[in-house]
Amino acid sequence: MKQLHRKDLFGWSEFNKERNLDFNSVLWVREGGNILIDPLPMTEHDHSHLQRLGGVNFIIITNSDHCRDAEHIAKKTGAQIYGPSAEEDNFPISCDHWLHDKEEAFPGLIAFELEGSKTPGELALLLDHTTLITGDLIRCHVAGELCSLPEAKLVNPPKANQSIKRLAELPNIKAILTGDGWPVFSHGSEALHRLAKSI
């Protein structure tokens, strides 16, 4: 795993040939139990690194298309799985807890529900008010410039745009860790504002 912009954040990726971009996962190392977000399958090297960092206690899935390797990792480690409450009735795997809008999932980590994306109530996660972790709706196909899912994949484009604009109103975002594409490690608020103005 690669260390990200904070000493307690790590990431690993898998290149998707069809879309020509990386799919990304995040590890937050913390007292009270480490958290994986949208975890992809791990190489033996990454799994060993994870164990050296204290293993995993919790897994957060931002949307049903990002279950990835969560169920397998949970079975191996006993980690609890947290999912988006709007998908509770049809989620493809079992979850221990369902996250709601503006819920503080863990101290310092707040969940925001996004409407209009390709799945109901997709989650974005705000860490310590400065790092935004996104699933599918907000992505980064060109380094430094955010974009959104193509309109054809959105269930409700106007609501999706409103969700993006809502996140753009959050102050002091430094970094944006996208589920798909490049991370944005600085000037995150500015990148969000540019995206909000473009839609």
Side-chain angles (χ1 to χ4, degrees):
M1 289 181 290
K2 299 164 285 191
Q3 186 172 319
L4 302 177
H5 63 293
R6 293 173 31 152
K7 292 182 179 179
D8 59 349
L9 291 177
F10 295 82
W12 73 104
S13 305
E14 178 182 279
F15 184 71
N16 182 271
K17 295 178 182 178
E18 180 184 349
R19 296 172 179 82
N20 279 319
L21 52 75
D22 286 334
F23 291 161
N24 306 307
S25 300
V26 175
L27 164 67
W28 179 23
V29 177
R30 57 184 284 276
E31 291 184 13
N34 294 345
I35 298 170
L36 296 180
I37 300 169
D38 291 347
L40 293 155
M42 305 186 86
T43 64
E44 185 176 335
H45 171 83
D46 287 338
H47 182 71
S48 296
H49 191 187
L50 175 64
Q51 297 312 305
R52 291 196 303 274
L53 292 168
V56 56
N57 301 83
F58 307 98
I59 297 170
I60 299 177
I61 302 171
T62 60
N63 67 87
S64 55
D65 287 340
H66 277 205
C67 289
R68 297 172 169 175
D69 207 33
E71 190 172 36
H72 175 246
I73 293 172
K75 284 180 178 177
K76 285 184 64 175
T77 63
Q80 294 183 32
I81 299 178
Y82 287 51
S85 63
E87 292 198 76
E88 183 174 355
D89 293 338
N90 299 298
F91 210 64
I93 66 175
S94 177
C95 288
D96 300 283
H97 183 81
W98 301 100
L99 292 171
H100 297 80
D101 189 44
K102 292 187 177 179
E103 179 177 350
E104 189 169 27
F106 298 90
L109 187 69
I110 300 171
F112 288 87
E113 287 184 352
L114 309 180
E115 298 183 29
S117 189
K118 62 179 178 177
T119 56
E122 176 185 322
L123 299 176
L125 304 167
L126 184 62
L127 177 58
D128 293 338
H129 304 288
T130 58
T131 296
L132 185 67
I133 303 166
T134 66
D136 263 329
L137 180 59
I138 295 176
R139 40 220 293 125
C140 184
H141 294 189
V142 177
E145 290 299 323
L146 297 174
C147 61
S148 63
L149 271 174
E151 186 169 317
K153 292 191 175 184
L154 299 175
V155 173
N156 188 318
K159 284 189 175 181
N161 291 344
Q162 231 11 75
S163 292
I164 291 170
K165 290 176 181 178
R166 179 191 181 205
L167 292 179
E169 292 174 356
L170 296 171
N172 305 318
I173 294 177
K174 174 184 176 183
I176 301 171
L177 306 179
T178 62
D180 299 344
W182 294 95
V184 175
F185 287 129
S186 62
H187 304 291
S189 287
E190 290 90 332
L192 272 173
H193 291 155
R194 288 195 298 273
L195 174 59
K197 287 180 181 178
S198 72
I199 54 180

